[in-house]
């Protein structure tokens, strides 16, 4: 049997983004789509490929460089881009493909003799990162002359994780010819220790949660920890059964402003990912890769490598598990106040940046969260009314009479029970109670399952009872 675990505070819903950011998000999304098309187009000539990449990179630089001024420079037939950032002049060369292209770009830049500028090479290869042997040759070629960025850095810039001028500047600060993306971004100084918690079984006296239930439910404290200055924003529960002589167990992934930590059954906490800007619940993939939202981008952390899978999302976008556990992102808002179309969307994440598939959702509501039901059906929870969309048929939430009255004031945390119902947890607005509701989708009704004497809720997850 199973029971449910609450983690305690609200985080901003996706329906609270400011409309003045719409244009910039649209531009970022269009640039990302162009980048994805460029990366997969094998019908163009090398010259056309270089020219298109130069335009894409110039657009990225123009977003943050002084006065948006980016100069095109010819480097012996190869495109170069000159720009100013934080009072320094930079020259960026481009190389595509095998290491001979990289070598030509280095040679042409050396012959140009522009000592007054910091020189950087952006080397794009079909694989996300070049081979180690090729990178060693790159480092030898540019050591003491400039720095090299690879495809992971460009992906991060296109997705909005970090601007390209910042990545170039930070690489120079490392005083190395090539610095991996993870080393650049995961070197922030979070607390030395992740957030340790104490298993409830070790507490004396026992800590209890006051609860009034409308169903045969019980609430028990699993872990307790100290209050944090930066409140967590997401919770993921991991449970596994025992077998082959090994015991089962439960652990938590907790997302905070400094990254994602893992808390085991004994309460010990370890950093799974140190990366500032993370928010919302994380997903763990079958290969043990960790996915989490960071700013406007979705990142993947696996065996020490950081890559970007998707991006250009509105503020507050949420990661959720879709069909087969594949990652999807809920973003935007359906609220328009009578002005234009809403930005609400569900996005299926592809295997690499530029492959994401966006489904604009027609639902005039401030959607707080979503959960996958079955097939291509998703439940969208908003204040006042919720709805079910079947993306296999339509992206429209249907007529108002088809909507489902929402239970709770702030339905930001959802859990599907696999039997046609959705559980939601939200504070009641008084600051003293958290309500657990069950929405019966077929009946278009909801019922209160429990009233807990808690002030806030961070997340809702399913915990498998280990027998």
């Amino acid at each position: 049997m199973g029971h449910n675990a609450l983690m305690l505070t609200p985080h901003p819903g996706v329906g609270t983004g400011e409309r003045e950011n719409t244009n910039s998000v649209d531009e970022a999304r269009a640039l990302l789509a162009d980048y994805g098309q460029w990366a997969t187009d094998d019908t163009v000539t090398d010259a056309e490929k270089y020219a298109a990449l130069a335009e894409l990179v110039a657009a990225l630089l123009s977003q943050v460089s002084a006065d948006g001024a980016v100069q095109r420079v010819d480097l012996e037939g190869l495109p170069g881009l000159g720009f100013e950032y934080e009072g320094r002049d930079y020259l960026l060369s481009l190389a595509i493909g095998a290491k001979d292209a990289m070598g030509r770009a280095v040679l042409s830049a050396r012959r140009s003799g522009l000592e007054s500028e910091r020189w950087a090479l952006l080397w794009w290869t079909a694989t996300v990162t070049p081979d180690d042997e090729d990178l060693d040759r790159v480092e030898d070629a540019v050591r003491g002359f400039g720095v090299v960025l690879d495809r992971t850095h460009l992906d991060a810039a296109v997705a909005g994780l970090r601007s390209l001028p910042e990545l170039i500047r930070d690489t120079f600060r490392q005083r190395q010819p090539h610095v991996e993306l993870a080393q650049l971004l995961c070197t922030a100084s979070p607390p030395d220790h992740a957030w340790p918690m104490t298993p409830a079984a070790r507490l004396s006296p026992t800590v209890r949660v006051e609860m009034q239930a409308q169903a045969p439910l019980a609430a028990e404290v699993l872990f307790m920890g100290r209050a944090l200055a930066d409140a967590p924003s997401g919770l993921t529960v991991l449970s596994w059964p025992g077998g082959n002589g090994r015991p089962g167990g439960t652990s938590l992934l907790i997302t905070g402003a400094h990254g994602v930590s893992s808390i085991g059954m004994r309460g010990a906490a370890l950093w799974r990912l140190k990366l500032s800007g993370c928010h919302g619940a994380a997903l763990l993939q079958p290969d043990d890769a960790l996915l989490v939202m960071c700013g406007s981008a979705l990142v993947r952390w696996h065996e020490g490598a950081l890559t970007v899978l998707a991006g250009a999302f509105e503020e507050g976008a949420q990661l959720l598990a879709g069909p087969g556990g594949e990652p999807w992102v809920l973003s935007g808002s359906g609220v328009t106040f009578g002005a234009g179309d809403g930005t609400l969307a569900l996005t299926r994440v592809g295997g690499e940046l530029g492959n994401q598939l966006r489904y604009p959702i027609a639902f005039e509501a401030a959607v707080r969260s979503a959960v996958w039901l079955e097939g291509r059906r998703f439940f969208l929870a908003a204040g006042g009314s919720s709805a079910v969309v079947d993306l296999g048929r339509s992206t429209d939430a249907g007529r108002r009479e088809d909507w489902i009255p929402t239970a709770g004031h702030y339905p930001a945390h959802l859990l599907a029970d696999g039997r046609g119902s959705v559980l939601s947890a939200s504070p009641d607005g008084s600051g003293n109670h958290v309500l657990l509701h069950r929405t019966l989708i077929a009946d278009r009704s909801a019922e209160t399952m429990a009233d807990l004497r808690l002030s806030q809720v961070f997340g809702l997850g399913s915990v498998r009872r280990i027998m």
Side-chain angles (χ1 to χ4, degrees), residues 395-415:
T395 57
D396 196 309
R399 301 168 299 178
R400 186 175 295 272
E401 53 265 31
D402 296 326
W403 298 352
I404 303 171
T406 297
H409 296 277
Y410 198 92
H413 311 286
L414 304 178
L415 180 66

Side-chain angles (χ1 to χ4, degrees), residues 341-432:
D341 299 324
T343 59
L344 183 65
L346 282 165
T347 299
R348 181 185 181 186
V349 178
E352 58 186 29
L353 186 68
N355 289 346
Q356 60 198 61
L357 181 59
R358 184 173 182 268
Y359 294 85
I361 305 297
F363 182 30
E364 296 182 7
V367 175
R368 301 293 183 182
S369 54
V371 66
W372 172 69
L373 300 174
E374 60 181 359
R376 287 296 181 91
R377 298 175 72 234
F378 290 82
F379 179 83
L380 307 178
S385 298
S386 299
V388 174
V389 293
D390 187 346
L391 299 183
R393 297 181 177 181
S394 172
T395 57
D396 196 309
R399 301 168 299 178
R400 186 175 295 272
E401 53 265 31
D402 296 326
W403 298 352
I404 303 171
T406 297
H409 296 277
Y410 198 92
H413 311 286
L414 304 178
L415 180 66
D417 65 0
R419 297 187 297 272
S421 300
V422 172
L423 298 177
S424 62
S426 64
D428 72 343
S430 68
N432 298 311

Side-chain angles (χ1 to χ4, degrees), residues 115-126:
E115 290 87 358
S116 62
E117 298 172 312
R118 282 183 167 183
W119 176 80
L121 170 66
L122 179 58
W123 184 26
W124 194 95
T125 55

